[in-house]
Amino acid sequence: MRLYLGLDCSTQSLTAMAIAIDGGRREVVWERSLEFDRDLPDYRTRHGVLPSADPLIAVSPPLMWAEALDAVLADLATSGLDLTRLTAIAGSAQQHGSVYLNQSSTACLATLDPARPLADQLRRIFTRETAPIWMDASTSAECAEIAAAVGGAARLAGITGSRAFERFTGPQIRRVAKQHPDAYAATTRIDLVSSFMASLLAGRHAPLDPGDASGMNLMDLHTRCWSREALDATAPDLEPKLPPIAPATTVIGALSPYWQTRHRLPPAALVVWTGDNPSSLAGTGIVEEGQVAVSLGTSDTIFGLMHTPHVDPGGAGHVFGAPTGDYMGLTCLRNGSLARERIRDAHGLDWRGFSRALETTSPGQDGALMLPWFEPEITPTVNAPAVHRRNLDAGAPHANVRALVEAQMMALANHSRWMGIDVRTIHATGGASANRAILRVMADVFGADVFQCQVGNAACLGAALRAWHADAAARGSTRPWSAIVAGLAEPIAASRIQPDGDAVRIYAALRAEYARFEADVLSRR
Ligand code: XUL
């Protein structure tokens, strides 16, 4: 029997999951989640983000992620699992966030004192104490500058898989270089959240995988190397500050002596980390073209596998590297779970009341529509947040719940058409995928069968499966991805929600109406 550990450092929490693989048996044997706001209150985050008066700014403290890692691995040490069996560890993290480290970070990582907490020892390694994260929308000027320098949005998308997006790391780095030139000059390593966490475990600077590196507007999607053009358009002397890019199966070393002594963990193989969406692709069992998953988390995302990359001509979507070595198409809505919470709280409901609202209202509600841009939106780009309603009374609790969920599903469906996938089945994951009333709206809007997954946290499961896959590959096994995901990252057959014919017809018309409403409001801004 071998144990594999997956970690996921998301916006609001750090989760760890151990899976046991024993011949044909595969099982989740341990899971622990630490919520940043609740469990590390000293960092004063709200939903994992530091409060900001400017709605376009979103930053988090990297020290908080480090402290969370120390706490979760302390729990693993006392889990009762036979940790001599722990063979490999991989992880995933919220995409795009950037951590700025100085020269002292190299020695610091290599000489951590196991007698002392991790976070205490890292205080001096940052050139910026905060990390801009994926919710940041403050870099429109830098996006325009980078696009202009490479010859336009379409050209940048052709090289990197996406036009310039505010939250992507390249524009974020450009902003730091412009606004804080001294800090930028003193920065010797710019990590993504994924490579930062992997570096803490490895005791030395870790590489990036192509899945996460493709969320930066800096990687050439076709060669999986840094693009000279994109680097030059972004900031001076950038390449030496970036981690190398390594294939998703790379074993980057062993768990460092710090963790072995501090939490009595074995020298397990450490696999390069990736972004939460590429990891969720594995964790929802999407290993063939044509399959699609929807993740309902802090962000709502829809993604599918692509053998050959084709970028969104409309500029809304992204192409990232996939853990299988292929590509993945992805569309991301920022107003996901926090928007659902906003509507729930505004109308004094709990989640049960939220579900009841969906169950007691009818599809389409005679043309009631909402554009739920509570916060700046990614798809479509909306930097000045505002909620727009049509044929909808803002004070009607049930109608607003339905209009919100319908808006989220219609936006996901409309803005993912570019992937060219005839969506027949959807694997649903993320916290809100437990809510079958929400999944009923998803099935009807997409006209597709929706399945719940056996393991709720697909990003974390995907990380554990990546650990297994890379370890198997390192041992010379050619186990295909379809065999890795079988049995754990599979949809539950009995959870199927079939679309209702009448509702599908209503939504076919309403989706067109929604697109017109969205275009109309955007044209008036
Ligand atoms: C994807 C994106 C979000 C974050 C959330 O491009 O920005 O899904 O990865 O953690």
Side-chain angles (χ1 to χ4, degrees):
M1 192 264 286
R2 292 181 195 276
L3 292 176
Y4 295 97
L5 184 72
L7 292 148
D8 177 50
C9 185
S10 74
T11 320
Q12 306 195 48
S13 56
L14 178 71
T15 305
M17 180 186 290
I19 59 171
I21 306 293
D22 193 1
R25 185 179 80 96
R26 45 198 69 186
E27 201 186 335
V28 175
V29 288
W30 180 80
E31 192 174 348
R32 157 95 170 99
S33 200
L34 181 144
E35 256 182 56
F36 301 134
D37 296 3
R38 183 194 61 202
D39 298 323
L40 297 174
D42 289 353
Y43 290 95
R44 300 173 186 278
T45 56
R46 192 158 151 59
H47 302 299
V49 187
L50 289 169
S52 159
D54 180 347
L56 296 181
I57 304 265
V59 298
S60 298
L63 266 187
M64 175 180 78
W65 301 325
E67 187 166 341
L69 186 63
D70 205 0
V72 158
L73 291 187
D75 279 0
L76 176 67
T78 57
S79 62
L81 293 174
D82 176 3
L83 293 172
T84 60
R85 306 263 175 189
L86 181 60
T87 309
I89 302 172
S92 68
Q94 56 167 306
Q95 296 198 250
H96 319 296
S98 43
V99 181
Y100 298 79
L101 303 178
N102 63 29
Q103 202 165 17
S104 77
S105 59
T106 309
C108 176
L109 289 171
T111 56
L112 291 168
D113 174 1
R116 292 173 55 209
L118 178 64
D120 286 359
Q121 303 179 61
L122 302 180
R123 290 188 197 282
R124 284 199 237 287
I125 70 169
F126 303 100
T127 57
R128 306 278 307 141
E129 278 184 12
T130 57
I133 65 156
W134 69 275
M135 295 166 114
D136 191 278
S138 65
T139 65
S140 296
E142 288 74 16
C143 287
E145 289 158 4
I146 292 170
V150 300
R155 176 146 174 73
L156 186 64
I159 299 170
T160 69
S162 306
R163 67 167 169 83
F165 277 85
E166 279 76 357
R167 71 193 191 286
F168 274 41
T169 325
Q172 292 290 343
I173 293 172
R174 183 171 177 80
R175 189 166 194 261
V176 170
K178 279 166 58 183
Q179 295 198 336
H180 308 282
D182 293 346
Y184 180 74
T187 301
T188 51
R189 171 60 53 125
I190 303 173
D191 271 322
L192 293 187
V193 185
S194 64
S195 58
F196 174 64
M197 298 297 275
S199 302
L200 298 179
L201 293 177
R204 61 190 171 82
H205 294 299
L208 283 170
D209 92 310
D212 218 13
S214 44
M216 300 173 79
N217 281 142
L218 288 173
M219 189 189 83
D220 183 323
L221 198 60
H222 311 278
T223 61
R224 294 169 184 239
C225 296
W226 298 121
S227 152
R228 171 59 37 214
E229 268 181 278
L231 292 170
D232 289 347
T234 300
D237 305 322
L238 180 51
E239 189 167 6
K241 299 181 198 283
L242 296 176
I245 302 171
T249 45
T250 306
V251 174
I252 57 181
L255 197 60
S256 80
Y258 174 80
W259 302 101
Q260 294 180 41
T261 310
R262 182 163 175 76
H263 297 312
R264 296 177 306 284
L265 298 174
L270 202 57
V271 177
V272 62
W273 283 40
T274 189
D276 52 2
N277 290 294
S279 198
S280 293
L281 190 83
T284 48
I286 306 289
V287 293
E288 302 291 344
E289 234 176 13
Q291 300 172 320
V292 161
V294 169
S295 172
L296 302 175
T298 310
S299 63
D300 286 350
T301 55
I302 179 166
F303 45 84
L305 190 105
M306 289 176 179
H307 291 313
T308 320
H310 63 269
V311 298
D312 176 6
H318 316 301
V319 182
F320 294 154
T324 54
D326 300 282
Y327 298 89
M328 62 184 286
L330 177 133
T331 293
C332 176
L333 303 191
R334 163 152 173 196
N335 282 282
S337 70
L338 299 183
R340 289 184 283 276
E341 282 172 30
R342 288 279 271 270
I343 286 286
R344 179 200 64 184
D345 297 345
H347 297 287
L349 301 169
D350 55 14
W351 286 123
R352 202 190 274 202
F354 192 92
S355 303
R356 208 169 315 115
L358 289 172
E359 285 152 9
T360 54
T361 45
S362 312
Q365 304 189 112
D366 296 324
L369 289 175
M370 179 193 291
L371 298 174
W373 301 329
F374 292 91
E375 301 290 333
E377 181 48 68
I378 292 168
T379 313
T381 305
V382 174
N383 283 341
V387 177
H388 301 266
R389 293 178 173 81
R390 212 183 67 184
N391 301 335
L392 178 65
D393 171 2
H398 288 193
N400 276 270
V401 169
R402 175 164 283 279
L404 167 68
V405 175
E406 289 179 341
Q408 292 174 322
M409 297 308 150
M410 290 193 290
L412 285 173
N414 287 353
H415 292 294
S416 59
R417 279 209 192 98
W418 65 274
M419 291 183 210
I421 300 175
D422 178 18
V423 181
R424 297 282 170 84
T425 60
I426 299 174
H427 300 191
T429 184
S433 69
N435 185 320
R436 292 179 65 79
I438 293 178
L439 300 192
R440 149 75 35 224
V441 180
M442 186 188 291
D444 292 341
V445 167
F446 280 88
D449 287 351
V450 174
F451 292 89
Q452 289 166 306
C453 295
Q454 290 178 36
V455 178
N457 190 329
C460 210
L461 174 63
L465 293 176
R466 286 187 58 245
W468 177 25
H469 177 259
D471 174 60
R475 289 170 200 277
S477 152
T478 48
R479 198 181 281 268
W481 262 104
S482 53
I484 296 278
V485 300
L488 266 183
E490 279 180 341
I492 308 167
S495 70
R496 174 156 81 146
I497 299 181
Q498 288 177 282
D500 171 88
D502 290 340
V504 172
R505 273 185 290 281
I506 291 171
Y507 286 129
L510 199 67
R511 274 174 63 176
E513 201 48 47
Y514 183 84
R516 276 191 289 276
F517 183 35
E518 188 184 86
D520 184 40
V521 169
L522 290 176
S523 72
R524 281 188 279 111
R525 285 175 154 246

